[in-house]
Amino acid sequence: MGLQQKHPLSRRHFCFCCMTGAAFVATGSWLTPRQAYAEARGLVTLIKESAASSPVIPYKLRGNVTLLEGSGGNIAVLTGPDGKFLVDAGISVSRPQLTQALSGLSPEPITHLINTHWHFDHASGNDWLHSVGAKIIAHENTRKHLSEIQRVEDWDYNFLPSPAGAIPSEVISANRTLKLNGASIELKPYGPAHTDGDVSVIFGEADILHAGDTYWNGIYPFIDYSTGGSIDGMIAASEANLAAATDSTIIIPGHGRPGSNKSELKEFRDMLVDIRDKVATLKKAGRTFEETVAAKPTAAHDAKWGQFVIDPPFFTKLVYAGV
Ligand SMILES: [Zn+2]
């Protein structure tokens, strides 16, 4: 693929959300849909292979909550006598490493899984986790996207319906509180943001917020317009995340450096707002997408945020589509 030579990618940062950005970077120009499709297929394989051999690394956070990194999006696990409660399922091929990491935490079985959204790198582990006892909870739109053929335009890719065991058996469309392992767990739908099915998970006593893919720590985020995402939705979700956090809250991003905080989240929100304003001004003035990219509306932020596969032109495209 030549991808790793061209980009300072660490294995842990491979994620399914980034395929088109990577395809763009690899060739230096926009791909035709057919080329993008071929590239995307190659990258799916690459990402799966990468996850299959990547270690899953546990980080103890606070109050029986551990973060597992190495299988797609960041996974959170709450342990205790009621059973393990997981936020996100990772990529299915990581089952051996995840099984080992999970049993290293505590002996209880896995009883609950919540999907922050439907994407492959957060939910393709649903089937095996269900087979070992997890009840799956998700937003009703996540169930819909997992149940049907789902096209993601920016990846030029059609996802097949998930197997029956992978489909969430319980859906939410409004806030919901659970009590498990002595912890108060709040599930809060964001409204359309990264997708139309994003849900945050707050562990009350431990003061931990899992923001799913509404927050990418230190890197430009992917936004999935095919299933309801938008730049304005991402900004609104960032405001909701900031409102839910205090200076001592541990914030788990969907991707990027695991274990973040309110001040880093603020920088993410400010970056989104600034680029949105600049791109909107250019688009309003009649600039085409190519002219907008040439004006470099992300320039002030690229050194910090543009070092990953969602590169400046691709992120500009994601913002331009929504303003
Ligand atoms: Zn995602």
Side-chain angles (χ1 to χ4, degrees):
M1 302 251 62
L3 185 67
Q4 274 153 311
Q5 294 88 42
K6 296 226 177 199
H7 245 272
L9 274 184
S10 70
R11 285 181 149 253
R12 70 146 92 134
H13 280 145
F14 268 130
C15 89
F16 198 62
C17 298
C18 309
M19 292 193 314
T20 303
F24 175 84
V25 166
T27 63
S29 65
W30 291 103
L31 300 172
T32 65
R34 241 170 230 297
Q35 286 171 319
Y37 179 64
E39 192 73 30
R41 280 173 62 107
L43 280 165
V44 173
T45 307
L46 181 67
I47 289 160
K48 276 188 185 167
E49 280 172 0
S50 169
S53 57
S54 289
V56 167
I57 302 166
Y59 297 84
K60 287 263 173 207
L61 297 180
R62 203 150 56 194
N64 285 351
V65 179
T66 303
L67 186 153
L68 300 178
E69 187 196 31
S71 177
N74 291 319
I75 295 171
V77 189
L78 171 76
T79 56
D82 298 329
K84 292 190 178 90
F85 173 95
L86 268 65
V87 183
D88 278 347
I91 299 177
S92 58
V93 292
S94 311
R95 177 176 181 172
Q97 298 95 305
L98 274 175
T99 301
Q100 195 186 15
L102 286 164
S103 54
L105 298 179
S106 68
E108 302 91 24
I110 302 157
T111 51
H112 294 78
L113 164 65
I114 165 112
N115 292 136
T116 60
H117 62 295
W118 74 276
H119 283 155
F120 171 89
D121 51 333
H122 300 257
S124 75
N126 279 14
D127 198 33
W128 80 262
L129 284 163
H130 173 76
S131 77
V132 299
K135 177 171 96 169
I136 305 175
I137 307 168
H139 191 278
E140 58 185 355
N141 291 334
T142 294
R143 179 162 75 179
K144 191 177 119 220
H145 298 312
L146 290 173
S147 305
E148 300 169 351
I149 292 183
Q150 184 57 64
R151 178 166 180 75
V152 174
E153 208 58 52
D154 276 316
W155 300 336
D156 193 31
Y157 200 90
N158 298 313
F159 294 88
L160 295 175
S162 301
I167 308 297
S169 58
E170 211 175 307
V171 294
I172 57 167
S173 55
N175 292 0
R176 167 90 179 276
T177 306
L178 303 173
K179 259 298 195 192
L180 265 180
N181 298 324
S184 317
I185 306 166
E186 235 188 304
L187 313 178
K188 290 165 101 175
Y190 286 99
H194 170 74
T195 67
D196 60 8
D198 302 301
V199 173
S200 71
V201 181
I202 295 170
F203 298 97
E205 294 80 0
D207 194 10
I208 295 171
L209 162 66
H210 194 314
D213 275 3
T214 69
Y215 178 35
W216 294 42
N217 189 17
I219 48 183
Y220 288 138
F222 180 66
I223 304 172
D224 183 2
Y225 283 82
S226 287
T227 56
S230 71
I231 179 63
D232 287 344
M234 286 291 282
I235 292 170
S238 300
E239 299 293 356
N241 287 333
L242 285 170
T246 68
D247 288 341
S248 55
T249 304
I250 295 174
I251 302 166
I252 302 174
H255 298 277
R257 292 187 310 275
S260 184
N261 55 47
K262 193 170 184 177
S263 75
E264 289 181 340
L265 176 62
K266 232 179 236 162
E267 289 173 30
F268 178 75
R269 189 269 320 264
D270 293 347
M271 175 275 292
L272 294 181
V273 168
D274 185 53
I275 293 176
R276 189 222 177 273
D277 289 350
K278 290 196 166 95
V279 171
T281 302
L282 291 162
K283 192 170 180 179
K284 233 177 164 177
R287 305 282 188 98
T288 63
F289 167 64
E290 287 74 16
E291 289 163 350
T292 301
V293 169
K296 299 194 189 304
T298 64
H301 306 281
D302 291 347
K304 177 169 164 51
W305 303 90
Q307 304 303 313
F308 186 49
V309 288
I310 305 290
D311 65 349
F314 187 50
F315 188 60
T316 303
K317 177 181 190 280
L318 295 174
V319 177
Y320 190 87
V323 296

